[in-house]
Amino acid sequence: MSVVAKLDVRNLGDYIREQRSAAQISLRQLASLAGVSNPYLSQIERGLRKPSAEILQQIAKALRISAEALYVQAGILEERYGDSDVPAAILGDAYLAERQKQVLLELYEAYRRESEAKAGKTEPVDTKASPSSTSRTRTARRASPRGAEASDAARAEGNTATS
Amino acid sequence: MSVVAKLDVRNLGDYIREQRSAAQISLRQLASLAGVSNPYLSQIERGLRKPSAEILQQIAKALRISAEALYVQAGILEERYGDSDVPAAILGDAYLAERQKQVLLELYEAYRRESEAKAGKTEPVDTKASPSSTSRTRTARRASPRGAEASDAARAEGNTATS
DNA sequence: GCAGACCGCTTGCAAAAGTTAGCGGGAGGG
DNA sequence: CCCTCCCGCTAACTTTTGCAAGCGGTCTGC
């Protein structure tokens, strides 16, 4: 079992403390804001404790930062690779049922393997690994095709329904 | 206790179990794959335990699904990413042949129509999951310090308006 | 029938997470 | 000076996580 996912508590704590002082609030304030006890937050910041997912979320909320940022700091989530990552897009699609996602993913991976084989490359495609696998050789690691940032406006309708 | 960020353990467990059976592996297999004990995984699936962030991550890896999907299920992360644009991702994938892209796109569209149809009535599929509706507020893609508040600020009202 | 191997689940226990109570210390005000 | 308030931290506790061990049940082969 790859022990890749060790929680990087130190970084996490530093990050939180950094964010907290950037926000100019005291440890106790943040603690009560986040709904945790101040000693505990203190310990988290110093890396003596690994906060649970819930706590992490509450802290993120209190700090007004994305929980994702915290998870990334904690080494729990990988950084977001924005490029056209098909698996990520599929997984992130709110309109697909889980089973459908599974099928699409499998088909996609099968295709990928197929292409790989044709190309004669020996490079193992390691379909299972974290999403990062898809971006290995690719040149453009950029954000997805259409600007991702403006999505605020697009929020409601998102993907058009069908039609 | 502050009833702030209740972990939606039920959903999470169901989701994991769903994914597991979709992957056709036994509880014990997934457990050892994820590096947790089988009893514990069993309890997680039945919603009797709230797995920590680390465990969640390991399970996600073992299931080959994005950790985010799990966090969203757990109610820890908000739905991210408005731009889960599957077609764009497919089209932008350099490793797929045109023919393959067509198949994937068609399948995707078919699924979307299917989901659409079901959306109105009681969903026969187990996917109680997807918060399908709004909430497309994408969170900050990167660890940008502050300025990413919009997404969940709704809940985190209160605090001192320092800024 | 009965080993053996799997399945999922229940039961106690160690080790963490997370809490309340309290310490020493700096700033400000009387 | 002394009193109060807030700061961050330590200490001792309670609660929960997460695990090893063991249970009953099903299926397959002997």
Side-chain angles (χ1 to χ4, degrees), chain A:
Chain A
M1 214 41 156
S2 51
V3 197
V4 191
K6 261 306 204 184
L7 198 85
D8 192 353
V9 199
R10 266 269 321 30
N11 249 344
L12 174 67
D14 287 350
Y15 182 72
I16 292 178
R17 179 157 292 192
E18 193 180 304
Q19 290 301 313
R20 176 169 67 80
S21 43
Q24 312 239 18
I25 58 182
S26 74
L27 189 151
R28 284 175 128 107
Q29 282 176 318
L30 176 57
S32 86
L33 214 59
V36 304
S37 66
N38 33 113
Y40 187 46
L41 180 57
S42 169
Q43 287 168 315
I44 291 174
E45 287 191 350
R46 283 176 300 147
L48 311 179
R49 288 283 208 279
K50 319 178 185 200
S52 74
E54 268 173 301
I55 301 287
L56 227 42
Q57 160 73 342
Q58 293 172 24
I59 293 175
K61 275 191 168 147
L63 277 174
R64 262 81 154 277
I65 61 181
S66 81
E68 211 178 324
L70 280 189
Y71 287 118
V72 169
Q73 284 299 317
I76 295 171
L77 279 183
E78 320 290 331
E79 188 95 34
R80 202 78 207 130
Y81 344 87
D83 70 353
S84 54
D85 190 337
V86 175
I90 291 174
L91 287 169
D93 193 304
Y95 296 91
L96 290 176
E98 298 308 326
R99 303 232 147 87
Q100 296 174 333
K101 290 182 182 177
Q102 254 355 90
V103 176
L104 280 170
L105 284 173
E106 278 174 21
L107 182 56
Y108 170 71
E109 282 171 359
Y111 280 164
R112 286 291 298 265
R113 280 191 293 271
E114 202 177 313
S115 304
E116 197 89 28
K118 257 203 300 195
K121 299 183 62 171
T122 15
E123 197 171 349
V125 74
D126 115 305
T127 60
K128 57 232 278 115
S130 55
S132 57
S133 59
T134 49
S135 54
R136 58 216 153 125
T137 322
R138 179 144 335 145
T139 48
R141 169 177 285 231
R142 268 201 19 74
S144 53
R146 54 157 150 111
E149 65 295 317
S151 46
D152 301 343
R155 65 188 178 99
E157 77 291 18
N159 306 334
T160 96
T162 95
S163 78

Side-chain angles (χ1 to χ4, degrees), chain A residues 1 68 71 93 99 108, chain B residues 33 76 80 93 108 126 138:
Chain A
M1 214 41 156
E68 211 178 324
Y71 287 118
D93 193 304
R99 303 232 147 87
Y108 170 71
Chain B
L33 213 59
I76 294 170
R80 101 209 294 316
D93 192 303
Y108 172 72
D126 30 23
R138 95 210 232 334

Side-chain angles (χ1 to χ4, degrees), chain B residues 33-60:
Chain B
L33 213 59
V36 305
S37 66
N38 34 111
Y40 188 45
L41 179 57
S42 168
Q43 287 168 315
I44 291 174
E45 287 192 350
R46 283 175 300 147
L48 312 179
R49 287 281 208 280
K50 321 179 186 198
S52 74
E54 270 173 299
I55 301 285
L56 229 42
Q57 160 74 339
Q58 292 172 21
I59 293 175

Side-chain angles (χ1 to χ4, degrees), chain B residues 81-153:
Chain B
Y81 247 13
D83 74 325
S84 62
D85 193 339
V86 176
I90 291 175
L91 289 170
D93 192 303
Y95 293 96
L96 290 176
E98 282 312 317
R99 179 181 51 81
Q100 295 173 332
K101 289 181 183 176
Q102 285 312 312
V103 177
L104 280 171
L105 285 173
E106 278 175 21
L107 182 55
Y108 172 72
E109 296 297 350
Y111 278 163
R112 285 294 295 271
R113 280 191 295 273
E114 203 177 315
S115 301
E116 192 88 25
K118 284 175 192 162
K121 34 187 123 178
T122 38
E123 38 198 346
V125 193
D126 30 23
T127 166
K128 70 273 260 116
S130 41
S132 43
S133 49
T134 58
S135 83
R136 305 284 262 170
T137 56
R138 95 210 232 334
T139 51
R141 162 168 311 213
R142 283 195 28 83
S144 58
R146 27 214 47 250
E149 70 289 52
S151 60
D152 28 7

